[in-house]
């Protein structure tokens, strides 16, 4: 019997270990395929391409060049975790930041100016993480995939994120009720908003209804075409900026890792990578 754990015994023969890794890979990819199929098989579902909430969103078509101070700050704030695809230790990069930051800026600038995200930076290694300590470790559905990404890819993404957030916040394109991915907001602010809303409703003798949705594998099932359409029509992203996002999303590939063993590569057609940092 093949035991579904993330730590297969080292005495497994090579053929059985390869089968284990391939089973884990097929599980994660099959799970996403089934979820996407269930979302698109309902004929009553309306088109996901919703109209823009604003008539003509402000245009964002050119990235702001990355400054040395910004890249240095991003590098300094990166945790000292070692990506599998990087041969240079993260802490070593930090120690030599005064020498290496100009080179890193050149790499970042080449990416955002050319609107290209290098295929090597799109490769990720997935480590299955147990959802809860009390879950059965021998069942694959109790695990979630966590992507191990190159440090350089993270730095480029965070430079792009900074430019994008500047565009969204300065033009008021974020929902006033959004707490996720907003500075000085968290799950706590979301709960406080709901609590305040209910309190006000009770004082006004109004009836309130709360609808909570928990979407399975929400990040892993993101449709790239829908995302690109929303970036353009909802948030005014065009030109080289939109081309960069298309390059960033296309041809992403990953493989599953269990301790020191790796599965074969798989090209993902949907979703965005999720990392722990």
């Amino acid at each position: 019997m093949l035991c579904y754990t993330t730590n297969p015994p080292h005495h497994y023969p090579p053929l059985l270990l390869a089968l284990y890794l391939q089973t884990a890979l097929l599980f994660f990819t099959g799970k996403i395929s089934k979820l996407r199929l269930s979302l698109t098989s309902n004929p009553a579902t309306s088109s996901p391409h919703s109209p823009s909430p604003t008539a003509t969103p402000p245009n964002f078509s050119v990235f702001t060049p990355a400054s040395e101070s910004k890249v240095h700050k991003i590098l300094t704030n990166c945790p000292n975790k070692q990506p599998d695809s990087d041969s240079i230790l993260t802490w070593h990069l930090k120690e030599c930041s005064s020498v290496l930051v100009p080179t890193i800026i050149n790499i970042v600038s080449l990416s955002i100016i050319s609107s290209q995200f290098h295929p090597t930076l799109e490769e990720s290694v997935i480590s299955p993480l147990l959802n809860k300590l009390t879950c059965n470790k021998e069942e694959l559905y109790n695990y979630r995939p966590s992507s191990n990404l190159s440090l350089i890819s993270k730095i480029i993404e965070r430079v792009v994120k900074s430019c994008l957030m500047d565009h969204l916040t300065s033009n008021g394109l974020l929902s006033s009720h959004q707490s996720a991915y907003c500075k000085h907001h968290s799950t706590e602010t979301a709960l406080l908003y709901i609590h305040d809303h209910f309190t006000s409703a009770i004082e006004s003798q109004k009836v309130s209804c709360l609808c909570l949705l928990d979407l399975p594998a929400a990040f892993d099932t993101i449709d790239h075409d829908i995302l690109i359409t929303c970036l353009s029509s909802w948030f005014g992203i065009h030109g080289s900026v939109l081309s960069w996002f298309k390059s960033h999303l296309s041809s992403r590939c990953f493989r599953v890792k269990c301790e020191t063993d790796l599965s074969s590569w798989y090209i993902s057609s949907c979703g965005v990578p999720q990392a722990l940092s």
Side-chain angles (χ1 to χ4, degrees), residues 71-85:
V71 172
H72 185 273
K73 182 178 180 180
I74 291 173
L75 177 60
T76 303
N77 291 336
C78 288
N80 291 327
K81 295 180 180 179
Q82 184 59 28
D84 294 283
S85 57

Side-chain angles (χ1 to χ4, degrees), residues 75-97:
L75 177 60
T76 303
N77 291 336
C78 288
N80 291 327
K81 295 180 180 179
Q82 184 59 28
D84 294 283
S85 57
D86 291 349
S87 56
I88 303 178
L89 298 175
T90 301
W91 68 266
H92 198 181
L93 280 173
K94 291 183 178 181
E95 290 292 331
C96 303
S97 60

Side-chain angles (χ1 to χ4, degrees), residues 174-238:
L174 290 174
S175 171
S176 58
H177 304 309
Q178 178 174 328
S179 287
Y181 313 109
C182 291
K183 193 174 182 179
H184 306 307
H185 288 71
S186 63
T187 53
E188 183 179 356
T189 55
L191 290 172
L192 287 173
Y193 169 78
I194 294 174
H195 180 271
D196 181 67
H197 180 85
F198 276 137
T199 302
S200 299
I202 292 172
E203 290 177 350
S204 303
Q205 297 183 345
K206 295 180 180 179
V207 177
S208 298
C209 178
L210 180 63
C211 179
L212 302 175
L213 299 177
D214 183 12
L215 302 177
F219 284 93
D220 297 326
T221 54
I222 290 176
D223 185 283
H224 292 168
D225 291 335
I226 296 176
L227 177 58
I228 291 297
T229 299
C230 288
L231 287 174
S232 175
S233 61
W234 283 47
F235 304 111
I237 297 176
H238 303 286

Side-chain angles (χ1 to χ4, degrees), residues 39-258:
L39 291 172
T40 57
S41 60
N42 186 359
T45 303
S46 59
S47 171
H49 297 273
S50 302
S52 170
T54 56
T56 306
N59 184 65
F60 178 35
S61 58
V62 179
F63 285 115
T64 304
S67 65
E68 184 171 330
S69 59
K70 177 179 289 187
V71 172
H72 185 273
K73 182 178 180 180
I74 291 173
L75 177 60
T76 303
N77 291 336
C78 288
N80 291 327
K81 295 180 180 179
Q82 184 59 28
D84 294 283
S85 57
D86 291 349
S87 56
I88 303 178
L89 298 175
T90 301
W91 68 266
H92 198 181
L93 280 173
K94 291 183 178 181
E95 290 292 331
C96 303
S97 60
S98 59
V99 177
L100 295 176
V101 162
T103 302
I104 295 175
I105 289 178
N106 287 336
I107 297 174
V108 174
S109 298
L110 281 173
S111 177
I112 62 178
I113 291 174
S114 65
S115 301
Q116 294 294 319
F117 198 71
H118 197 278
T120 303
L121 301 178
E122 295 181 337
E123 298 175 355
S124 61
V125 176
I126 286 181
S127 299
L129 298 180
L130 195 64
N131 290 324
K132 295 180 181 179
L133 295 177
T134 55
C135 291
N136 185 354
K137 296 180 180 180
E138 297 188 359
E139 299 293 344
L140 277 176
Y141 60 75
N142 289 326
Y143 291 87
R144 68 184 187 277
S146 173
S147 298
N148 191 307
L149 305 168
S150 166
L151 178 62
I152 295 297
S153 72
K154 293 180 183 178
I155 292 175
I156 297 174
E157 288 169 357
R158 290 176 187 181
V159 169
V160 169
K161 175 190 173 183
S162 177
C163 296
L164 178 62
M165 290 303 295
D166 287 344
H167 167 70
L168 296 177
T169 53
S170 62
N171 292 290
L173 296 175
L174 290 174
S175 171
S176 58
H177 304 309
Q178 178 174 328
S179 287
Y181 313 109
C182 291
K183 193 174 182 179
H184 306 307
H185 288 71
S186 63
T187 53
E188 183 179 356
T189 55
L191 290 172
L192 287 173
Y193 169 78
I194 294 174
H195 180 271
D196 181 67
H197 180 85
F198 276 137
T199 302
S200 299
I202 292 172
E203 290 177 350
S204 303
Q205 297 183 345
K206 295 180 180 179
V207 177
S208 298
C209 178
L210 180 63
C211 179
L212 302 175
L213 299 177
D214 183 12
L215 302 177
F219 284 93
D220 297 326
T221 54
I222 290 176
D223 185 283
H224 292 168
D225 291 335
I226 296 176
L227 177 58
I228 291 297
T229 299
C230 288
L231 287 174
S232 175
S233 61
W234 283 47
F235 304 111
I237 297 176
H238 303 286
S240 61
V241 176
L242 189 63
S243 296
W244 184 92
F245 277 103
K246 290 179 180 178
S247 175
H248 179 265
L249 293 171
S250 65
S251 303
R252 300 201 70 96
C253 58
F254 66 89
R255 53 183 173 176
V256 177
K257 179 181 180 181
C258 293

